[in-house]
Every structure is written in structure tokens, then in C-alpha cells.
Amino acid sequence: MEYLLPTLRKKQEVDSIIRDTIDKVLVLRFGRSSDAVCLQLDDILYKSARDVSKFATVALVDIDSDEIQIYLKYFDITLIPSVVFFFNAHHMKMDSGSADHTKWIGTFQRKQDFIDVVEAIYRGAMKGKLIVSCPLPPERIPKFQLLYKDV
């Protein structure tokens, strides 16, 4: 999917796209192009990118790059794929019923699920909210167990 969606490998590229994406939701997928679950998510992101292009921008971030490690630590990305949302350089959070509101972990089951999430984030951001509720039913939200180190 690297040839279909922009792939960021440098910290400067990530900083630039976060800073320069104005009045649109920025969707950053952190993962590897060789991972099967990442490829499944990338397929959904690619198929949806045109549908959400008026209010969202989608980009892939390669977590194997040394310069990107600072973002992995900052957003506590330990499971891949992880999707982080921004709006006007502000980190957007989503309450999906899990303990972690900072990112979406795993893939979306359907293309429409991704579109619904991005639309909910966009509508919330336009109202000035920094956290929105997930529009998906609980059975379509990936479940995972958070493990905290050094707590």
C-alpha cells in the first residue's frame, strides 16, 4: 500500500503533515507494510481515502524508521496497527469503550466503520471538542488488554 498512500519515514515529514493539514482530520496509521493486519487496514484506508477526501487526509507511518521512534514513545504505540487522529495540529481522542482514548488499535471491520469514525471526529472537532464518542457498536470495536509497565 506504500505506493497508494503517502508513507512517512522521517520525523520532519510527520511534523510537517501534522502542522500543515488545516481544517481536515489527519489519519496517521502507525505500522509495518509487511504485517498482514496492517495490510488489511491499509486496504480499508485506501478504499476509503477518496470518500473522506473532503474532510480527511490519510497517511502511513513506517514504525521501523529510527526517526519515528519518538512518536512511538510519545503515543505509547506498542500494538500495531495503531491509528492516531489529528485536527488542526491537535491530537484528537476517541472514547471507544477501552481504557486508551488516544488511538485506535487494530483494524476496522468494514470500510464504512472507518468512514463513520473519521466523520465523528471531524464533526466533534468542528464543534471544538478534543474527545469524541465512537459511533460504532461495541461488537465492531477491536478488544485488547492494556498492560502497563513500571506502574
Side-chain angles (χ1 to χ4, degrees), residues 1 4-5 39-53 58 60 109-112 114-115:
M1 286 301 159
L4 300 173
L5 292 169
L39 288 174
Q40 181 183 4
L41 176 60
D42 292 352
D43 185 52
I44 291 171
L45 296 178
Y46 171 69
K47 289 178 180 177
S48 307
R50 187 170 182 184
D51 295 333
V52 299
S53 64
V58 179
L60 311 177
Q109 290 184 6
R110 305 182 314 195
K111 173 181 158 183
Q112 191 59 46
F114 172 70
I115 294 170

Short mmCIF file of all heavy atoms in Angstrom, two decimals, residues 1 4-5 39-53 58 60 109-112 114-115:
data_model
loop_
_atom_site.label_atom_id
_atom_site.label_comp_id
_atom_site.label_asym_id
_atom_site.label_seq_id
_atom_site.Cartn_x
_atom_site.Cartn_y
_atom_site.Cartn_z
N MET A 1 0.82 -1.21 0.00
CA MET A 1 0.00 0.00 0.00
C MET A 1 0.85 1.26 0.00
O MET A 1 0.33 2.35 -0.14
CB MET A 1 -0.90 0.01 1.23
CG MET A 1 -2.06 -0.94 1.15
SD MET A 1 -3.10 -0.59 -0.23
CE MET A 1 -3.90 -2.13 -0.43
N LEU A 4 0.24 3.52 -2.81
CA LEU A 4 -1.10 4.06 -2.96
C LEU A 4 -1.39 5.20 -1.98
O LEU A 4 -2.13 6.12 -2.30
CB LEU A 4 -2.15 2.95 -2.77
CG LEU A 4 -2.06 1.80 -3.76
CD1 LEU A 4 -3.03 0.70 -3.37
CD2 LEU A 4 -2.33 2.27 -5.17
N LEU A 5 -0.82 5.13 -0.79
CA LEU A 5 -1.00 6.17 0.22
C LEU A 5 0.37 6.73 0.59
O LEU A 5 1.36 5.99 0.58
CB LEU A 5 -1.67 5.58 1.47
CG LEU A 5 -3.12 5.13 1.31
CD1 LEU A 5 -3.57 4.34 2.54
CD2 LEU A 5 -4.03 6.32 1.10
N LEU A 39 -1.69 -4.55 6.48
CA LEU A 39 -2.11 -4.56 5.07
C LEU A 39 -3.62 -4.58 4.94
O LEU A 39 -4.19 -3.93 4.05
CB LEU A 39 -1.49 -5.75 4.34
CG LEU A 39 0.00 -5.66 4.07
CD1 LEU A 39 0.52 -6.96 3.48
CD2 LEU A 39 0.31 -4.48 3.18
N GLN A 40 -4.29 -5.29 5.84
CA GLN A 40 -5.75 -5.31 5.82
C GLN A 40 -6.30 -3.92 6.14
O GLN A 40 -7.22 -3.44 5.47
CB GLN A 40 -6.25 -6.32 6.86
CG GLN A 40 -7.75 -6.45 6.92
CD GLN A 40 -8.19 -7.42 8.02
OE1 GLN A 40 -7.38 -7.93 8.78
NE2 GLN A 40 -9.48 -7.64 8.10
N LEU A 41 -5.72 -3.26 7.14
CA LEU A 41 -6.15 -1.90 7.47
C LEU A 41 -5.82 -0.94 6.33
O LEU A 41 -6.64 -0.08 5.98
CB LEU A 41 -5.49 -1.44 8.77
CG LEU A 41 -5.77 0.01 9.19
CD1 LEU A 41 -7.26 0.24 9.40
CD2 LEU A 41 -5.00 0.35 10.45
N ASP A 42 -4.63 -1.07 5.75
CA ASP A 42 -4.24 -0.20 4.64
C ASP A 42 -5.21 -0.31 3.48
O ASP A 42 -5.52 0.69 2.82
CB ASP A 42 -2.82 -0.53 4.16
CG ASP A 42 -1.75 -0.19 5.18
OD1 ASP A 42 -2.09 0.44 6.21
OD2 ASP A 42 -0.59 -0.56 4.96
N ASP A 43 -5.70 -1.51 3.22
CA ASP A 43 -6.67 -1.71 2.15
C ASP A 43 -7.95 -0.92 2.43
O ASP A 43 -8.49 -0.25 1.55
CB ASP A 43 -6.97 -3.20 1.99
CG ASP A 43 -7.89 -3.48 0.82
OD1 ASP A 43 -7.59 -3.01 -0.29
OD2 ASP A 43 -8.91 -4.17 1.03
N ILE A 44 -8.41 -0.97 3.67
CA ILE A 44 -9.61 -0.21 4.06
C ILE A 44 -9.34 1.28 3.97
O ILE A 44 -10.18 2.05 3.47
CB ILE A 44 -10.07 -0.62 5.47
CG1 ILE A 44 -10.61 -2.06 5.44
CG2 ILE A 44 -11.10 0.34 6.02
CD1 ILE A 44 -10.88 -2.66 6.80
N LEU A 45 -8.16 1.72 4.43
CA LEU A 45 -7.82 3.15 4.37
C LEU A 45 -7.76 3.62 2.93
O LEU A 45 -8.28 4.69 2.59
CB LEU A 45 -6.49 3.41 5.07
CG LEU A 45 -6.42 3.13 6.56
CD1 LEU A 45 -5.01 3.40 7.09
CD2 LEU A 45 -7.44 3.94 7.32
N TYR A 46 -7.14 2.83 2.05
CA TYR A 46 -7.03 3.22 0.65
C TYR A 46 -8.40 3.30 -0.02
O TYR A 46 -8.70 4.26 -0.73
CB TYR A 46 -6.14 2.24 -0.11
CG TYR A 46 -6.16 2.48 -1.60
CD1 TYR A 46 -5.57 3.63 -2.13
CD2 TYR A 46 -6.79 1.60 -2.45
CE1 TYR A 46 -5.63 3.88 -3.50
CE2 TYR A 46 -6.84 1.84 -3.81
CZ TYR A 46 -6.26 2.98 -4.32
OH TYR A 46 -6.32 3.23 -5.67
N LYS A 47 -9.24 2.30 0.22
CA LYS A 47 -10.57 2.30 -0.39
C LYS A 47 -11.44 3.44 0.13
O LYS A 47 -12.35 3.90 -0.56
CB LYS A 47 -11.27 0.97 -0.13
CG LYS A 47 -10.67 -0.18 -0.90
CD LYS A 47 -11.35 -1.48 -0.57
CE LYS A 47 -10.75 -2.64 -1.35
NZ LYS A 47 -11.36 -3.92 -0.97
N SER A 48 -11.17 3.91 1.35
CA SER A 48 -11.97 4.97 1.96
C SER A 48 -11.39 6.36 1.71
O SER A 48 -12.10 7.35 1.90
CB SER A 48 -12.05 4.76 3.47
OG SER A 48 -12.50 3.47 3.77
N ALA A 49 -10.14 6.45 1.34
CA ALA A 49 -9.46 7.75 1.23
C ALA A 49 -10.19 8.71 0.31
O ALA A 49 -10.32 9.91 0.62
CB ALA A 49 -8.02 7.55 0.77
N ARG A 50 -10.70 8.22 -0.79
CA ARG A 50 -11.41 9.10 -1.73
C ARG A 50 -12.75 9.57 -1.15
O ARG A 50 -13.14 10.72 -1.33
CB ARG A 50 -11.62 8.37 -3.04
CG ARG A 50 -12.18 9.27 -4.10
CD ARG A 50 -12.16 8.61 -5.44
NE ARG A 50 -12.68 9.55 -6.43
CZ ARG A 50 -12.86 9.25 -7.68
NH1 ARG A 50 -12.53 8.07 -8.13
NH2 ARG A 50 -13.35 10.13 -8.51
N ASP A 51 -13.42 8.69 -0.41
CA ASP A 51 -14.72 9.03 0.17
C ASP A 51 -14.60 10.09 1.26
O ASP A 51 -15.53 10.86 1.47
CB ASP A 51 -15.39 7.78 0.75
CG ASP A 51 -15.74 6.76 -0.32
OD1 ASP A 51 -15.94 7.16 -1.49
OD2 ASP A 51 -15.79 5.56 0.00
N VAL A 52 -13.48 10.11 1.97
CA VAL A 52 -13.30 11.06 3.07
C VAL A 52 -12.39 12.22 2.69
O VAL A 52 -12.02 13.03 3.54
CB VAL A 52 -12.76 10.36 4.34
CG1 VAL A 52 -13.72 9.29 4.82
CG2 VAL A 52 -11.38 9.79 4.14
N SER A 53 -12.01 12.31 1.42
CA SER A 53 -11.01 13.30 1.00
C SER A 53 -11.43 14.75 1.23
O SER A 53 -10.57 15.62 1.33
CB SER A 53 -10.67 13.10 -0.48
OG SER A 53 -11.81 13.34 -1.28
N VAL A 58 -5.24 10.89 4.74
CA VAL A 58 -4.74 9.62 5.28
C VAL A 58 -3.28 9.46 4.90
O VAL A 58 -2.91 9.67 3.74
CB VAL A 58 -5.56 8.43 4.75
CG1 VAL A 58 -5.03 7.12 5.29
CG2 VAL A 58 -7.04 8.59 5.05
N LEU A 60 0.44 6.92 5.96
CA LEU A 60 1.01 5.77 6.66
C LEU A 60 2.33 6.19 7.29
O LEU A 60 3.08 6.95 6.70
CB LEU A 60 1.25 4.62 5.68
CG LEU A 60 0.10 4.23 4.76
CD1 LEU A 60 0.53 3.11 3.82
CD2 LEU A 60 -1.11 3.81 5.56
N GLN A 109 -13.46 -3.31 10.75
CA GLN A 109 -14.06 -4.48 10.11
C GLN A 109 -14.54 -4.17 8.70
O GLN A 109 -14.49 -5.02 7.83
CB GLN A 109 -15.21 -5.00 10.96
CG GLN A 109 -14.75 -5.64 12.24
CD GLN A 109 -15.89 -6.24 13.03
OE1 GLN A 109 -17.03 -6.28 12.57
NE2 GLN A 109 -15.59 -6.70 14.23
N ARG A 110 -15.03 -2.94 8.51
CA ARG A 110 -15.58 -2.57 7.20
C ARG A 110 -15.11 -1.17 6.84
O ARG A 110 -14.72 -0.39 7.70
CB ARG A 110 -17.11 -2.56 7.24
CG ARG A 110 -17.73 -3.85 7.71
CD ARG A 110 -19.23 -3.80 7.69
NE ARG A 110 -19.75 -2.56 8.27
CZ ARG A 110 -21.01 -2.39 8.63
NH1 ARG A 110 -21.87 -3.33 8.47
NH2 ARG A 110 -21.41 -1.25 9.14
N LYS A 111 -15.19 -0.88 5.58
CA LYS A 111 -14.85 0.46 5.07
C LYS A 111 -15.75 1.51 5.72
O LYS A 111 -15.29 2.58 6.12
CB LYS A 111 -15.01 0.44 3.55
CG LYS A 111 -14.88 1.76 2.87
CD LYS A 111 -15.10 1.59 1.37
CE LYS A 111 -15.50 2.88 0.75
NZ LYS A 111 -15.80 2.78 -0.66
N GLN A 112 -17.04 1.21 5.85
CA GLN A 112 -17.99 2.17 6.42
C GLN A 112 -17.67 2.48 7.88
O GLN A 112 -17.91 3.60 8.34
CB GLN A 112 -19.42 1.66 6.28
CG GLN A 112 -20.47 2.70 6.60
CD GLN A 112 -20.37 3.94 5.72
OE1 GLN A 112 -20.23 3.83 4.50
NE2 GLN A 112 -20.43 5.11 6.32
N PHE A 114 -14.68 2.80 9.23
CA PHE A 114 -13.64 3.83 9.20
C PHE A 114 -14.23 5.19 8.84
O PHE A 114 -13.93 6.20 9.48
CB PHE A 114 -12.53 3.45 8.21
CG PHE A 114 -11.53 4.54 7.99
CD1 PHE A 114 -10.64 4.90 8.99
CD2 PHE A 114 -11.50 5.22 6.79
CE1 PHE A 114 -9.72 5.92 8.78
CE2 PHE A 114 -10.58 6.24 6.57
CZ PHE A 114 -9.70 6.58 7.57
N ILE A 115 -15.08 5.21 7.83
CA ILE A 115 -15.69 6.47 7.41
C ILE A 115 -16.51 7.08 8.55
O ILE A 115 -16.43 8.29 8.81
CB ILE A 115 -16.55 6.26 6.14
CG1 ILE A 115 -15.66 5.88 4.96
CG2 ILE A 115 -17.39 7.50 5.82
CD1 ILE A 115 -16.42 5.41 3.73
#
